[in-house]
Amino acid sequence: MSTPLLHARGVRKHFGRLEVLKGIDLTVERGQVCCLLGPSGSGKSTFLRCINHLEKVDGGRLTVDGELVGYRQQGSRLHELRESEVAERRRDIGMVFQRFNLFPHMTAEENVMEAPVQVAGVPRAQARETAHALLERVGLGDKVRGYPAELSGGQQQRVAIARALAMKPKLMLFDEPTSALDPELVGDVLDVMRQLAEDGMTMVVVTHETGFAREVGDTAVFMDEGVVVEAGDPRRVLTDPEQDRTRAFLSKVL
Ligand SMILES: Nc1ncnc2c1ncn2[C@@H]1O[C@H](COP(=O)(O)OP(=O)(O)O)[C@@H](O)[C@H]1O
Ligand SMILES: [Mg+2]
């Protein structure tokens, strides 16, 4: 049996006295798309941030492609890695945020080139060539010289996706990638994500787009108050949930 690409067992996280994640179990196999749904405040973003170690976990363990992201195991104890070592492992994980977070003073191509050049030491000419191919792939071949302020929200988000792909991640995390977009711009971003899934990318997508989850997701996971309430085939979880809490949530977002 091959190692799951993402494996979370009993992940716990609290902020002060607030327990935000109360033991999250989640497995995502290579090439699969896991859609994460749940009410605001249920811990979805915190969980994504734990996956790439933007947050330290307080308990449990999390591996990406069989490797702990922020820790090294010695005997039965986990030791946190140095920031440089964490950065090295984080390269395997691309993240796309609700608010694109592009560098405003850089063009689309410069945004996409930045990490390969600065972090991975790729020569500029080569990074530029890759950036153009990636921008082409997300439908922005004609916007390579555009600045974020000159692009629509949907275009900016597609640049952000290209930027994340530039580091050739094994896993892509999306945190409500279409929530900040005008409705007519959502489709183009979802199309890019659908294509990415078809190309075999492993993805965890926090989204309220149940249509996308049903069509593209291999699993749907419903979270509430820091626990996984139910998980399974999106067509079942999203149309005929077993749990009342899932049903109540769906009746609000659908
Ligand atoms: N850095 C932080 N410090 C304190 N509380 C936080 C922090 N980040 C998130 N929280 C709290 O954790 C809970 C879960 O937040 P979050 O993971 O953002 O939920 P979701 O993404 O599902 O809306 C919320 O109550 C939020 O206020
Ligand atoms: Mg969130």
Side-chain angles (χ1 to χ4, degrees):
M1 229 175 65
S2 71
T3 329
L5 196 76
L6 172 65
H7 193 64
R9 278 297 164 270
V11 171
R12 294 183 169 274
K13 176 71 189 176
H14 58 80
F15 293 110
R17 295 167 70 173
L18 179 68
E19 203 177 11
V20 176
L21 302 176
K22 302 172 183 167
I24 301 291
D25 293 339
L26 189 81
T27 302
V28 183
E29 302 293 342
R30 208 169 299 271
Q32 291 215 321
V33 177
C34 170
C35 293
L36 206 52
L37 297 91
S40 178
S42 55
K44 305 178 301 295
S45 294
T46 302
F47 180 64
L48 285 194
R49 292 168 56 81
C50 287
I51 295 175
N52 63 5
H53 201 65
L54 289 171
E55 299 286 354
K56 294 174 197 184
V57 302
D58 298 314
R61 51 194 293 140
L62 240 165
T63 59
V64 172
D65 204 13
E67 277 206 336
L68 295 163
V69 181
Y71 305 89
R72 171 170 39 82
Q73 183 156 8
Q74 239 167 14
S76 61
R77 294 187 63 119
L78 297 184
H79 299 272
E80 196 174 7
L81 296 174
R82 276 184 278 128
E83 190 49 44
S84 61
E85 297 170 303
V86 176
E88 184 68 34
R89 294 200 182 175
R90 214 178 261 148
R91 285 195 201 180
D92 285 344
I93 308 167
M95 188 151 184
V96 174
F97 303 88
Q98 184 174 344
R99 304 219 161 260
F100 341 118
N101 301 355
L102 296 175
F103 301 114
H105 60 291
M106 292 183 185
T107 62
E109 70 174 4
E110 287 165 351
N111 266 281
V112 179
M113 290 166 62
E114 180 68 7
V117 170
Q118 298 301 333
V119 181
V122 174
R124 287 192 72 83
Q126 189 187 328
R128 192 181 309 275
E129 206 170 302
T130 307
H132 286 195
L134 286 169
L135 287 167
E136 193 73 49
R137 186 171 165 193
V138 300
L140 295 174
D142 56 342
K143 300 284 182 200
V144 294
R145 301 276 147 71
Y147 284 90
E150 299 164 351
L151 303 174
S152 73
Q155 291 170 336
Q156 290 183 58
Q157 190 59 300
R158 285 183 280 148
V159 174
I161 293 172
R163 180 177 61 175
L165 293 173
M167 294 298 278
K168 302 189 178 69
K170 293 176 181 171
L171 173 67
M172 284 282 285
L173 308 176
F174 294 86
D175 195 353
E176 302 202 37
T178 59
S179 305
L181 300 178
D182 291 332
E184 75 273 21
L185 303 177
V186 168
D188 287 342
V189 172
L190 293 180
D191 285 344
V192 165
M193 293 168 63
R194 181 179 291 117
Q195 189 58 52
L196 201 53
E198 279 170 18
D199 293 344
M201 180 60 76
T202 312
M203 300 166 39
V204 180
V205 185
V206 175
T207 184
H208 293 160
E209 296 287 338
T210 50
F212 175 86
R214 257 195 297 266
E215 286 161 34
V216 181
D218 295 291
T219 52
V221 174
F222 176 69
M223 269 178 75
D224 194 12
E225 297 184 357
V227 299
V228 171
V229 174
E230 71 179 295
D233 184 327
R235 281 161 296 260
R236 185 196 59 73
V237 173
L238 300 174
T239 48
D240 187 21
E242 283 168 1
Q243 302 295 326
D244 291 341
R245 278 201 271 177
T246 315
R247 202 179 301 278
F249 172 75
L250 290 174
S251 70
K252 285 181 207 149
V253 299
L254 288 179

